[in-house]
Amino acid sequence: MERLSFGLLDLKLAEGAGQDTASMTFSGYGAVFGNMDAYGDVIAKGAFTKTIAEFKTSGVWPAMLLQHGGWGIGADDYTPVGVWTEIREDGHGLYVEGTLADTPRGLEIYTLMKMKPRPAINGMSIGYIAKEWVARSKPEEPRRTLTAIELVEVSLVTFPANGKARVTGVKSDGDCPTIREAELALREAGFSRKQAKLILADGFKGLPLRDAEEGDVDELAAMVRRNIDALRA
C-alpha cells in the first residue's frame, strides 16, 4: 500500500448539532488532481471513480486513521478515529466528509484541529493501491500519473507531503457552544457527568425532580453561560 499526502482540511461545526459526534464533523480534500506530491506522483481526474463505486455498493468504506496507523505495532495504531460519511470526486479532487469518534483520541484530534492561532494538525493523506498509471516519458513529467486507484484509508496527518495544502478555516457559531463546551460548563457548575448529559439531552427537565429543585433554572442557565465564556477565554 502506498501513501499520498495532502492537507486541504476544512473543519465545520455541524449546524444544529445535538450530539457530541455531530459537533466533531469536518470536511476537506484527501487528494488534489493534477498536483504533484513530494514523491513525484500526480493523480488524474477519474482515478477514484471505480473504487468509490465499489465501496458504496459493498458498504465497506475506507478507514479513517491517524498518521496512517503509525508504526502499526499495537491495536490502537490501526483503530479508526472516526468514520467517513461522504467521499466523492469533484473538479478539484477527492472530497471527503467525516465525523470523529466521541473517544479520548477523537476528542484530542478535534481539539488539536481547532487550536488558535493555528491548528496543531491540519494535514490529510490517503493510503491506496495504485492500479493503473502512466510512467514519465520526459524528465520534466511526473514520475507517475495515477489513473486508477484503490482507496484503502484516509488519514489525518501532521506532516503532509504537499506542504502548500493547509487548513482553510474552522467554522463555528460563537453564540452556540459545542456540546463538549456545554458539558464542561455544566461539570464546572457542579453537575455530575450523568446529570450534564441528561441536561444536554432533555434540558433541565431531564433531571430528577430533587435535582432540579436545588436552584432556580434561570440562575443555573446563567451560571452555565458564565462557565462557557470562562472556558472559551
Side-chain angles (χ1 to χ4, degrees):
M1 186 172 70
E2 303 179 63
R3 298 180 177 92
L4 183 63
S5 300
F6 290 84
L8 286 175
L9 177 62
D10 181 21
L11 299 178
K12 295 191 296 185
L13 184 67
E15 294 183 6
Q19 299 179 11
D20 286 356
T21 53
S23 69
M24 296 191 293
T25 299
F26 63 96
S27 63
Y29 286 88
V32 177
F33 297 138
N35 192 21
M36 188 182 300
D37 82 320
Y39 309 108
D41 288 340
V42 166
I43 296 180
K45 186 175 181 180
F48 297 100
T49 302
K50 184 178 179 180
T51 191
I52 291 173
E54 288 176 345
F55 67 68
K56 286 192 175 181
T57 298
S58 69
V60 182
W61 284 50
M64 181 193 294
L65 298 180
L66 178 64
Q67 315 291 3
H68 295 298
W71 292 101
I73 296 173
D76 286 346
D77 294 326
Y78 285 121
T79 299
V81 294
V83 294
W84 298 111
T85 56
E86 176 60 22
I87 299 179
R88 66 175 184 267
E89 281 196 8
D90 62 19
H92 186 69
L94 183 70
Y95 175 79
V96 298
E97 295 178 0
T99 300
L100 290 164
D102 185 15
T103 61
R105 285 204 308 163
L107 293 169
E108 178 185 23
I109 294 166
Y110 191 64
T111 300
L112 292 172
M113 286 176 170
K114 292 184 64 179
M115 289 190 71
K116 301 295 184 180
R118 66 193 64 84
I121 185 170
N122 65 351
M124 297 187 73
S125 180
I126 62 172
Y128 67 96
I129 298 172
K131 293 295 187 178
E132 298 176 12
W133 65 88
V134 177
R136 68 161 55 117
S137 59
K138 300 177 182 179
E140 64 272 16
E141 292 179 346
R143 179 176 72 100
R144 295 182 306 177
T145 299
L146 304 171
T147 57
I149 286 174
E150 180 183 339
L151 189 61
V152 178
E153 53 93 4
V154 184
S155 281
L156 299 166
V157 298
T158 304
F159 300 110
N162 186 334
K164 293 183 179 180
R166 293 292 174 183
V167 172
T168 57
V170 177
K171 296 180 181 180
S172 63
D173 185 350
D175 294 328
C176 182
T178 67
I179 296 298
R180 185 63 175 169
E181 289 173 333
E183 182 180 330
L184 288 172
L186 287 165
R187 296 292 299 278
E188 290 287 333
F191 292 98
S192 68
R193 180 181 177 82
K194 181 178 179 180
Q195 289 172 329
K197 288 186 177 296
L198 282 172
I199 293 170
L200 292 174
D202 299 316
F204 284 102
K205 69 180 186 298
L207 287 177
L209 184 61
R210 62 180 179 278
D211 295 323
E213 290 179 344
E214 289 178 359
D216 182 77
V217 170
D218 291 335
E219 183 179 348
L220 287 171
M223 182 186 301
V224 170
R225 171 55 64 183
R226 289 195 299 272
N227 287 339
I228 290 173
D229 291 340
L231 287 168
R232 285 179 167 175

